Amino acid sequence: MSHSERELSLVLGSGGARGLAQIGVIRWLEKNSDFHIRSIAGSSMGGLIGGIYAAGKLDLYEEWVTQLSKYDVLRLLDFAFSRSGLFSGERIMGKLEEMLGDVNIEDLPITFTAVATDIESGREVWLTSGSLFEAIRASIAIPTVFTPVKRDGRLLVDGGLLNPVPVAPTLRDSTSMTVAVSLSGRSEEALEQTESEPESQTSDQNRYRRAIGQFIEGLQEKLGLSDNLESAIDVFDIISRSIESMQNSIARFRIAGYNPDHLIDIPVNACGIFEFHRAQEMIDLGYERAERELGDIRRR
């Protein structure tokens, strides 16, 4: 490796669909050949993107996710009929398992750590060996939305609950720099927008949203919570906003405590936590923010 080349540790944060911006960050690092990713630590969506990249499947995932419409995203949600989560996530994870195949973390060409939360002990868990697919599945198990994962006698859920920007797992690396991506950056007015949708998708989307709403309303009625409630579909908005508020606060403390060499901030209002149909927009944003933060290093 020449003097101008840099080995780096990449930290990928949690934040739902905003995490797709991390694909853009990786693409920028790939294009600029003086940067070499040797280690990745990821939490929640960051664990998913990081694991897929480490397995050499990012091209396949990007091609798939950029083709998703809002209706496609809704169709991927599968009812769990469980007290531990509204959805099992099996449709989504089935697709990811198909992409990843049977691979263990320790066999990856890049050092990889997926961060999850042990819901029973309340402790952070670093997954550095065993099935890559299972590690990603645990790291993205958003409480009350997706069902938890049982692994090694522990009940694991979303790593972003305790560590939305997992810098700590990279402290043991021998790389020359650490680049962290936070999906909890300050809101930017320029990113506020009103989306328009093709008319051909509107009726199907509304029909599926009604089906989701009826399912949740049924649960509310069984629990005696159906009186004087807003539209049932708003439950998703309440859950996502609650989780985001908590993670944004924790992320600021984590970043201040570990102070990575370079921090790429993705504004919190760039897109909603479930807006995966805006994948290409997020990827482009991530690429642009990587250039903004790291471009000067490359030019020097």
Side-chain angles (χ1 to χ4, degrees), residues 137-154:
R137 174 69 178 86
S139 188
I140 66 172
I142 303 173
T144 75
V145 178
F146 294 120
T147 53
V149 173
K150 290 184 178 180
R151 176 167 167 152
D152 300 328
R154 295 177 293 196

Side-chain angles (χ1 to χ4, degrees), residues 8 10 24-37 179 287 290 294:
L8 63 86
L10 183 62
V25 173
I26 291 173
R27 293 309 189 199
W28 188 93
L29 292 169
E30 287 180 326
K31 183 176 180 181
N32 295 277
S33 59
D34 48 338
F35 294 93
H36 296 268
I37 302 171
V179 175
Y287 190 95
L294 304 175

Side-chain angles (χ1 to χ4, degrees), residues 43-224:
S43 187
S44 194
M45 192 63 186
L48 187 151
I49 297 298
I52 288 175
Y53 173 73
K57 303 294 185 179
L58 191 60
D59 288 347
L60 185 61
Y61 178 77
E62 183 177 358
E63 181 181 1
W64 173 70
V65 76
T66 52
Q67 298 301 313
L68 294 177
S69 66
K70 182 180 287 188
Y71 178 47
D72 292 329
V73 175
L74 289 172
R75 289 180 61 189
L76 285 169
L77 298 176
D78 43 0
F79 300 138
F81 295 98
S82 168
R83 293 182 179 180
S84 58
L86 293 176
F87 305 99
S88 68
E90 293 309 315
R91 290 179 188 167
I92 296 172
M93 293 313 298
K95 183 65 178 180
L96 293 175
E97 187 174 22
E98 178 185 329
M99 290 182 190
L100 290 170
D102 185 16
V103 60
N104 288 330
I105 296 175
E106 58 267 33
D107 297 327
L108 297 173
I110 297 173
T111 302
F112 175 68
T113 302
V115 177
T117 299
D118 184 337
I119 197 65
E120 295 176 325
S121 70
R123 294 181 178 179
E124 182 179 332
V125 177
W126 296 356
L127 303 173
T128 58
S129 63
S131 168
L132 174 62
F133 168 73
E134 288 184 3
I136 292 174
R137 174 69 178 86
S139 188
I140 66 172
I142 303 173
T144 75
V145 178
F146 294 120
T147 53
V149 173
K150 290 184 178 180
R151 176 167 167 152
D152 300 328
R154 295 177 293 196
L155 196 61
L156 303 179
V157 296
D158 195 313
L161 291 179
L162 295 181
N163 198 347
V165 189
V167 178
T170 67
L171 296 179
R172 59 193 174 187
D173 295 340
S174 58
T175 53
S176 61
M177 61 189 297
T178 300
V179 175
V181 184
S182 170
L183 308 178
S184 303
R186 293 179 180 274
S187 296
E188 296 182 9
E189 186 176 350
L191 293 175
E192 299 288 352
Q193 68 173 41
T194 302
E195 287 189 276
S196 59
E197 300 173 8
E199 290 184 5
S200 61
Q201 296 179 11
T202 302
S203 61
D204 285 338
Q205 290 172 9
N206 289 339
R207 183 162 54 250
Y208 201 75
R209 283 173 66 87
R210 283 196 299 271
I212 295 173
Q214 289 169 0
F215 167 71
I216 298 174
E217 284 173 347
L219 293 180
Q220 291 172 334
E221 185 174 355
K222 290 179 180 179
L223 295 172

Side-chain angles (χ1 to χ4, degrees), residues 225-262:
L225 301 174
S226 59
D227 293 337
N228 300 319
L229 290 174
E230 298 293 331
S231 173
I233 200 65
D234 290 340
V235 169
F236 291 101
D237 188 53
I238 293 171
I239 292 172
S240 63
R241 287 176 182 271
S242 298
I243 292 174
E244 283 194 316
S245 296
M246 176 187 66
Q247 290 184 348
N248 293 344
S249 178
I250 295 174
R252 287 191 289 271
F253 284 105
R254 290 282 186 171
I255 292 168
Y258 289 104
N259 193 25
D261 298 306
H262 297 279

